[in-house]
Amino acid sequence: MIANIEAENVVLAAMLIDSKMIDRVADLVSPEDFSDPMVARMFLATRDSYFAGKACSGVALNGMFKDDEAYQKAGGFGYIAKLTESSVALIGATDLAKQVADLARRRRVVE
């Protein structure tokens, strides 16, 4: 599959570490661009919470996904903690968002 799961995770992590990143990536990538359906749902929930003026932290996201089977299989809150443990995700997140969108366009062409 044409995808970069690590880039998808970094984009989500950057959004959770610094909500200002949501403004930077929201116009570059859409939920449909993510190859991992769980990350796509988490991206959407984080983005929508931010634009609704609600909390968009890892703790808030955990509350929204605590009953999600895929989220629990990925490690639950441990998954979010691992994603957000390093601020390195903030470096290049916009470039990675562009890459996620580009790879999604390529997947659509192949399909």
Side-chain angles (χ1 to χ4, degrees):
M1 174 186 278
I2 302 170
N4 185 339
I5 303 298
E6 292 81 12
E8 294 178 13
N9 281 310
V10 168
V11 171
L12 178 60
M15 294 167 60
L16 293 171
I17 293 168
D18 180 2
S19 60
K20 293 175 189 152
M21 290 301 298
I22 298 169
D23 285 323
R24 295 182 185 159
V25 302
D27 291 333
L28 301 174
V29 67
S30 69
E32 296 80 20
D33 292 337
F34 290 81
S35 64
D36 183 325
M38 181 194 71
V39 178
R41 291 192 310 274
M42 294 176 88
F43 171 87
L44 179 63
T46 303
R47 185 195 68 186
D48 289 355
S49 291
Y50 176 76
F51 288 122
K54 298 178 183 176
C56 52
S57 66
V59 172
L61 197 59
N62 182 63
M64 290 183 245
F65 282 83
K66 65 182 177 189
D67 296 324
D68 185 283
E69 185 178 332
Y71 175 67
Q72 291 305 321
K73 277 187 170 179
F77 189 71
Y79 167 76
I80 291 176
K82 185 172 179 150
L83 278 182
T84 59
E85 72 186 358
S86 172
S87 60
V88 171
L90 298 173
I91 300 170
T94 53
D95 288 335
L96 291 174
K98 291 175 187 175
Q99 183 183 91
V100 169
D102 180 57
L103 291 171
R105 282 189 288 280
R106 291 183 197 180
R107 281 194 307 276
R108 290 181 193 111
V109 168
V110 172
E111 293 171 357

